[in-house]
């Protein structure tokens, strides 16, 4: 078993990242048996697909490293690194560019959403982004990739690329790549914006009130929950009653994910009550869960020396782990290297 996943170091870690992915990273790291390994990385190369400020990227990469460690990623047990220090990712992406098809990339919903009507004006990196993501996981023979729902399509593409490469360039008994399996949490696959129940919680939303950031203090978190958009109805007692109420469903989903209860269980407790009593309970649970993580984060993010050392050590291990697969891919393609 090999667990691999990444996160873009753009802005702060938010509740969607935490509940949708990072909490699962930590759980999988903690459950690994002897011989299995987890690799987690900052997808800083992916950040180049959109306009960015170099100084902000540097700071965000270090901050996100601090956030992951604060959430429970242990650099002594997992390999924690940033892509830019492991050139094998970019190398493998180039090798896979020969296998990935334009049509496959053109169907990616993230590409369609982000490019909108202005496809001609986008960077080439935004279009080929999912090939780099495929390289990220295939390089390490990932078997399990913990992600939120929005990354499922990219993982399916990685499987398609792996399969085509194995078919085209390998014998059946010696495939170069393992097909990765996405691992998506049931209760928190898609945490939505606090301002709009039909949009996912995201770093790129211009309104900070739309998301809970790990760096928010307790008062800010409570205020964001208090101001979260809702409807005037009390909570239903059954899940079916949430069907047409995306904002209510989102808040109940967040409560369920934080408490470890099912949505049905939360509704058994709060059904019939209004948001006036539910929101404070949710805010309290949120502060209780994220408070200790935030405290560790605030302390570690100022410690540049420790963060640099963590990333350097992780990158050295990652280069070692990825080298055999990259060499096998070069060989399979008939590229001469000595
Ligand atoms: P990114 O940086 O947007 O998000 C990191 C992780 O958080 C999850 N996530 C969410 N889950 C639930 N609800 C939300 N509102 C929400 N927002 C984000 C994402 O699904 C993701 O798991 N392309 C990736 C980074 C990446 C990657 C990889 C992931 C690069 N290479 C290889 C896995 C494997 C991204 O931009 O995630």
């Amino acid at each position: 078993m090999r667990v691999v996943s990444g996160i873009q170091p753009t802005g702060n870690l938010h509740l969607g990242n935490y509940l949708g992915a990072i909490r699962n990273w930590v759980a999988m790291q903690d459950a690994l048996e002897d011989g299995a390994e987890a690799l987690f990385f900052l997808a800083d190369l992916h950040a180049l697909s959109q306009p960015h400020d170099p100084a902000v990227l540097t700071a965000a990469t270090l901050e996100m490293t601090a956030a992951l460690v604060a959430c429970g990623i242990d650099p002594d047990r997992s390999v924690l690194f940033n892509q830019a220090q492991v050139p094998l990712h970019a190398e493998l992406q180039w090798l896979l560019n020969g296998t990935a098809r334009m049509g496959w990339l053109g169907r990616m919903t993230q590409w369609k959403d982000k490019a909108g009507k202005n496809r001609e004006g986008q960077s080439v990196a935004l279009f080929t982004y999912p090939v780099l993501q495929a390289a990220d996981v295939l390089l390490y023979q990932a078997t399990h990739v913990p992600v939120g729902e929005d990354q499922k399509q990219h993982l399916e593409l990685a499987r398609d690329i792996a399969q085509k490469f194995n078919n085209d360039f390998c014998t059946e008994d010696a495939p170069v790549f393992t097909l990765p399996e996405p691992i998506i949490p049931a209760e928190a696959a898609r945490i939505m914006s606090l301002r709009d129940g039909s949009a996912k919680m995201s770093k790129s939303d211009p309104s900070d009130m739309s998301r809970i950031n790990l760096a928010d203090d307790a008062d800010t978190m409570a205020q964001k929950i208090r101001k979260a958009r809702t409807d005037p109805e009390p909570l239903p007692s059954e899940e079916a009653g949430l069907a047409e109420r995306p904002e209510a469903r989102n808040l109940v989903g967040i409560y369920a994910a934080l408490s470890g209860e099912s949505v049905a269980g939360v509704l058994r407790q709060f059904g019939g009550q209004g948001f006036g009593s539910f929101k404070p309970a949710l805010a309290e649970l949120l502060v209780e869960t994220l408070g200790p993580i935030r405290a560790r984060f605030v302390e570690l993010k100022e410690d540049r020396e420790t963060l640099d050392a963590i990333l350097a050590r992780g990158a050295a291990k990652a280069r070692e782990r990825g080298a055999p697969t990259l060499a096998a891919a070069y060989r399979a393609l008939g590229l001469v290297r000595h």
Side-chain angles (χ1 to χ4, degrees):
M1 180 170 177
R2 181 162 268 174
V3 177
V4 177
S5 199
I7 182 166
Q8 285 202 66
T10 41
N12 258 312
L13 190 91
H14 59 72
L15 189 65
N17 299 138
Y18 179 67
L19 294 177
I22 313 305
R23 205 171 54 153
N24 237 355
W25 295 11
V26 175
M28 291 178 86
Q29 162 195 273
D30 293 348
L32 283 179
E33 290 176 0
D34 282 351
E37 194 171 38
L39 295 94
F40 301 114
F41 60 91
L42 294 311
D44 50 3
L45 294 180
H46 278 95
L48 308 188
S49 61
Q50 305 252 279
H52 83 285
D53 175 334
V56 172
L57 178 58
T58 307
T61 302
L62 293 163
E63 271 201 15
M64 193 60 93
T65 305
L68 295 180
V69 174
C71 286
I73 299 299
D74 177 355
D76 289 330
R77 281 187 291 155
S78 295
V79 181
L80 177 58
F81 64 100
N82 61 313
Q83 278 170 327
Q85 298 198 69
V86 186
L88 293 79
H89 290 241
E91 270 182 273
L92 183 59
Q93 180 193 17
W94 183 256
L95 302 189
L96 299 178
N97 276 341
T99 296
R101 305 287 98 182
M102 296 284 285
W104 298 355
L105 297 181
R107 282 193 285 279
M108 294 294 113
T109 53
Q110 185 180 293
W111 156 251
K112 290 194 265 187
D113 289 349
K114 290 203 169 155
K117 290 204 171 23
N118 181 24
R119 292 193 179 189
E120 298 292 310
Q122 300 303 324
S123 70
V124 172
L126 187 66
F127 189 67
T128 59
Y129 174 118
V131 186
L132 180 58
Q133 185 158 345
D136 294 338
V137 294
L138 300 181
L139 181 60
Y140 302 108
Q141 306 287 344
T143 53
H144 298 69
V145 183
V147 285
E149 179 75 34
D150 62 333
Q151 296 302 318
K152 190 168 173 221
Q153 196 188 29
H154 286 160
L155 263 293
E156 280 161 5
L157 180 89
R159 291 173 65 92
D160 289 344
I161 292 174
Q163 194 139 40
K164 180 165 165 58
F165 188 103
N166 288 343
N167 282 340
D168 291 355
F169 302 111
C170 312
T171 54
E172 214 165 289
D173 54 339
V176 169
F177 296 119
T178 303
L179 301 198
E181 211 51 75
I183 308 292
I184 299 173
E187 297 292 1
R190 216 173 151 74
I191 302 293
M192 309 310 277
S193 155
L194 299 179
R195 310 297 296 166
D196 174 1
S198 66
K200 74 172 179 185
M201 186 177 285
S202 152
K203 300 178 249 230
S204 51
D205 192 314
S207 165
D208 197 55
M209 293 303 281
S210 70
R211 64 186 158 258
I212 303 283
N213 302 305
L214 180 64
D216 290 342
D217 59 27
D219 287 346
T220 309
M221 284 186 196
Q223 192 202 22
K224 285 178 174 178
I225 294 295
R226 208 163 46 240
K227 296 213 163 152
R229 189 164 144 195
T230 45
D231 53 46
E233 304 296 318
L235 284 170
S237 321
E238 308 268 324
E239 230 174 313
L242 291 173
E244 304 295 320
R245 301 174 63 187
E247 282 84 15
R249 191 177 54 207
N250 189 38
L251 294 186
V252 172
I254 291 174
Y255 192 102
L258 286 169
S259 65
E261 286 171 67
S262 64
V263 167
V266 177
L267 292 178
R268 266 198 300 280
Q269 194 185 339
F270 289 99
Q273 298 186 34
F275 287 100
S277 52
F278 179 68
K279 280 181 167 180
L282 175 58
E284 195 181 324
L285 183 59
L286 192 60
V287 168
E288 204 179 281
T289 313
L290 292 190
I293 298 178
R294 179 180 184 270
R296 285 195 293 274
F297 166 68
V298 169
E299 192 184 315
L300 187 57
K301 84 184 167 74
E302 303 306 332
D303 189 350
R304 174 80 194 245
E305 210 175 307
T306 300
L307 296 172
D308 281 341
I310 288 173
L311 292 178
R313 196 153 51 93
K317 282 194 230 163
R319 289 192 293 265
E320 218 171 83
R321 305 295 189 270
T325 299
L326 184 66
Y330 272 107
R331 259 196 315 276
L333 292 166
L335 294 159
V336 179
R337 281 166 107 216
H338 291 290

